[in-house]
Amino acid sequence: MSRPMSRPMSHTTEVAHCDDLMHALGEFRDHASAVTERWGAALASRLGAGCRLLVAGNGGSAAQAQHLTAELVGRYRDDRPPYSALALHADTSSTTAIANDYGVQEIFARQVCAHGRTGDVLMLLSTSGASANLLVAAKEAHRLGMSVWALTGPAPNPLEGTADEHLCVDGATTATVQELHLVAVHMLCDSFDRAVADGVVLP
C-alpha cells in the first residue's frame, strides 16, 4: 500500500504566530530589560520595607497577574522569604459581590481602597490599555498615595497615560502581547530576586 506524499510545510497561521512573536520579542527585549530591572529593584526595596504589591488584570491578564503574585509569595527560582503580593481578581467572593453591588468598574478600585496604603504599588496588566475597571483602580491608588505601574499593549493608550510608569508591548495580536507580558513578569521576578539577594535599598 503506497503512503501518501508529505506536503511541504506552508506558512500556516501557527508559523505566522511564531514569526510575529519573534519579531515583537526582538524590539521588546532591550527596552523591557531596563524597565523590569528598575521595577525589580524598587519592589525589593518597598516590599522589604513592609509595603505590598497589588496586581490586577482582566481575562488572560488576570492569569498573568496571579502568576506574578505567586512568584513573589512563593518563589521564582531560588528559595527566599515570601513577600506581600495580592492578585485582586483572585478573591472571587469579594469580586463578584462588588460587581453585583457597585458595578464591574469598581471591582478593583474598592479592593485597592481596602488593601492599599501609601507606598504600596498597584501593577495593572491590560492588552488594550483601556479597561475601565483598571483606570478607576489607578485613580483610587493615586488618591491613596500608591505608585501605579502599567504593563500594556501598544502605546498610546489610556492606562499608559495614567500610570506613573509603564511598559508597553508593541505586539501584532493580543496573544503576542500576552506572551510578552509573561516574559516581562519573569524578567521582573529575576530582577527582584537579584535585588533581594544583593540587599538593595532605594531612597
Side-chain angles (χ1 to χ4, degrees):
M1 184 173 180
S2 62
R3 298 175 61 185
M5 294 179 61
S6 60
R7 289 180 295 180
M9 184 175 181
S10 63
H11 197 72
T12 63
T13 303
E14 293 81 4
V15 173
H17 177 88
C18 291
D19 289 344
D20 288 343
L21 177 59
M22 292 297 292
H23 176 73
L25 180 61
E27 297 184 352
F28 167 84
R29 183 179 61 181
D30 292 338
H31 174 61
S33 178
V35 176
T36 56
E37 183 79 17
R38 183 171 68 252
W39 285 2
L43 270 186
S45 178
R46 293 202 196 191
L47 302 192
C51 295
R52 64 175 47 167
L53 173 68
L54 307 182
V55 194
N58 296 291
S61 296
Q64 305 281 29
Q66 196 164 351
H67 187 119
L68 172 58
T69 59
E71 303 283 31
L72 295 176
V73 177
R75 68 175 185 180
Y76 177 52
R77 286 197 179 115
D78 300 324
D79 192 32
R80 54 151 169 73
Y83 289 86
S84 182
L86 299 174
L88 298 182
H89 73 280
D91 184 349
T92 54
S93 293
S94 291
T95 301
T96 53
I98 294 167
N100 186 62
D101 294 341
Y102 298 96
V104 175
Q105 291 191 11
E106 295 293 326
I107 60 174
F108 298 130
R110 195 163 178 86
Q111 292 183 77
V112 168
C113 184
H115 301 302
R117 301 292 183 269
T118 300
D120 290 351
V121 176
L122 174 65
M123 187 168 177
L124 302 172
L125 289 79
S126 173
T127 57
S128 68
S131 300
N133 54 16
L134 299 183
L135 292 168
V136 174
K139 182 177 180 180
E140 180 62 18
H142 281 144
R143 186 186 70 81
L144 296 171
M146 299 172 62
S147 296
V148 177
W149 299 349
L151 185 57
T152 77
N157 62 71
L159 191 55
E160 168 240 346
T162 299
D164 299 299
E165 297 199 34
H166 59 267
L167 175 56
C168 301
V169 175
D170 189 13
T173 66
T174 296
T176 296
V177 171
Q178 288 177 335
E179 287 158 352
L180 290 181
H181 280 184
L182 181 57
V183 174
V185 164
H186 285 159
M187 292 169 72
L188 173 59
C189 290
D190 187 65
S191 175
F192 178 87
D193 280 6
R194 282 187 284 107
V196 168
D198 292 344
V200 169
V201 177
L202 300 178

